């Protein structure tokens, strides 16, 4: 057992005061260069920090150093990349890695922003890595710390405020057999008929369709069945609408599980 109260962690990263730093921590793959990146959100300030792995040759944090080590962003410690959302969006409430879309070996990432301010429509942002995406920051051979990004390659916006659209996101392989990558977006307060039952929206995302869209343009919508059940809410606090289960049923498509925590239910989708 490891008792973190004794400061035995190899690294402790401290975020800005009151930012809800660390609500979501996600491994996002290789977005630029040779090493995988780690994303840490601070949704109260609508920020997502990226820290690049590697051997310490220029990154903001040298993860090869023996612990325990500390890195305090509130005291001016550097970051590698900062992604800024719009104020009041709850940007970074959910994060998921998206597999290589271009075939060039670089991942993309999906960030949910369900809205913190009343009347705000939820949004989901897709940012591509590699030489042509919005996350085309310098390679590990020429890092420049504190790169700030405030644009996305694709923005998906809810048609209606207050649905929690983007409270959970996940991105998986081909779910529907069209040989393209898909993302799932949870909207646990979406209303069907009269009461909120929650919904999960599926979107196909690839380099060749880099246009913004709304939830009304989803490829598929799955509705919950229990009033106020919050179908599509995050599972186990990890910011994902599903648990990645690979292939449960014997076919060629990946499967997923959707939670409805208030209804004390979880559903497997084939």
């Amino acid at each position: 057992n490891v008792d973190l109260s004794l400061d035995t962690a190899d690294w402790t990263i401290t975020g800005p005061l009151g930012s809800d730093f660390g609500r979501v921590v996600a491994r996002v793959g290789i977005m630029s260069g040779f090493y995988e990146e780690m994303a840490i959100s601070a949704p109260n300030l609508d920020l997502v920090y990226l820290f690049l792995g590697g051997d310490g040759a220029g990154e903001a944090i040298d993860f090869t150093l023996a612990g325990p080590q500390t890195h305090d962003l509130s005291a001016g410690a550097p970051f590698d990349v900062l992604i800024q959302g719009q104020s009041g969006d709850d940007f970074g409430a959910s994060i998921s890695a998206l597999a290589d879309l271009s075939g060039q070996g670089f991942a993309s990432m999906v960030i949910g922003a369900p809205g913190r301010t009343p009347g705000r429509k939820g949004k989901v942002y897709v940012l591509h890595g590699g030489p042509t995406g919005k996350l085309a920051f310098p390679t590990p051979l020429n890092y420049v710390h504190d790169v700030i990004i405030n644009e996305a390659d694709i923005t998906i916006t809810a048609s209606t405020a207050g649905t929690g659209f983007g409270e959970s996101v996940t991105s998986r392989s081909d779910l529907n057999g069209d040989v393209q990558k898909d993302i799932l977006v949870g909207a646990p307060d979406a209303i069907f008929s009269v009461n909120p039952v929650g919904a999960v929206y599926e979107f196909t995302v690839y380099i060749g369709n880099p246009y913004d869209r709304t939830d009304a343009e989803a490829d598929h919508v799955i509705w919950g069945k229990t009033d106020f059940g919050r179908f599509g809410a995050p599972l186990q606090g990890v910011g994902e609408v599903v648990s990645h289960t690979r292939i449960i049923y014997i076919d060629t498509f990946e499967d997923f599980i959707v939670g409805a925590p208030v209804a004390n239910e979880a559903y497997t989708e084939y």
Side-chain angles (χ1 to χ4, degrees):
N1 296 327
V2 178
D3 185 355
L4 295 182
S5 66
L6 300 178
D7 295 325
T8 54
D10 293 302
W11 276 93
T12 300
I13 306 174
T14 303
L17 184 65
S19 67
D20 202 13
F21 181 80
R23 187 196 301 181
V24 179
V25 179
R27 166 189 169 191
V28 293
I30 300 173
M31 309 200 72
S32 182
F34 307 104
Y35 303 111
E36 293 197 351
E37 285 84 51
M38 173 178 63
I40 305 176
S41 73
N44 286 357
L45 295 181
D46 301 295
L47 301 174
V48 172
Y49 293 86
L50 288 185
F51 294 95
L52 291 84
D55 55 8
E59 298 87 0
I61 295 180
D62 181 357
F63 286 109
T64 66
L65 295 176
Q69 301 283 343
T70 61
H71 194 83
D72 191 349
L73 296 172
S74 64
F79 50 84
D80 287 304
V81 177
L82 179 65
I83 307 173
Q84 295 181 325
Q86 296 182 3
S87 178
D89 268 2
D90 207 26
F91 182 81
S94 55
I95 300 172
S96 184
L98 185 58
D100 178 17
L101 298 178
S102 64
Q104 298 178 342
F106 299 103
S108 301
M109 67 184 299
V110 184
I111 302 175
R116 183 171 60 254
T117 304
R120 187 67 59 90
K121 295 179 180 179
K123 296 180 180 179
V124 169
Y125 300 91
V126 180
L127 295 92
H128 298 314
T132 60
K134 298 299 184 184
L135 287 173
F137 45 90
T139 70
L141 299 179
N142 186 29
Y143 279 142
V144 178
H145 299 318
D146 298 358
V147 175
I148 298 177
I149 296 172
N150 53 21
E151 293 181 293
D153 291 282
I154 300 173
T155 302
I156 306 172
T157 306
S159 302
T160 306
T163 65
F165 183 82
E167 186 172 319
S168 56
V169 296
T170 193
S171 50
R172 295 306 178 213
S173 299
D174 182 18
L175 292 172
N176 55 14
D178 63 358
V179 199
Q180 303 292 346
K181 302 298 188 294
D182 301 304
I183 65 173
L184 300 173
V185 181
D189 297 317
I191 295 175
F192 186 84
S193 184
V194 177
N195 293 320
V197 297
V200 172
Y201 298 81
E202 178 198 339
F203 299 89
T204 298
V205 178
Y206 54 95
I207 294 294
N209 68 343
Y211 58 88
D212 295 343
R213 63 201 81 169
T214 69
D215 57 1
E217 299 172 88
D219 296 284
H220 297 92
V221 181
I222 306 170
W223 290 94
K225 67 176 186 179
T226 304
D227 289 350
F228 307 101
R230 287 188 55 78
F231 178 82
L235 284 178
Q236 300 177 350
V238 297
E240 293 193 352
V241 64
V242 307
S243 175
H244 190 199
T245 57
R246 296 284 182 180
I247 298 174
I248 296 178
Y249 184 73
I250 303 175
D251 57 18
T252 59
F253 307 123
E254 293 201 1
D255 309 312
F256 55 95
I257 300 171
V258 182
V262 176
N264 293 317
E265 296 170 333
Y267 306 88
T268 301
E269 299 291 339
Y270 298 124

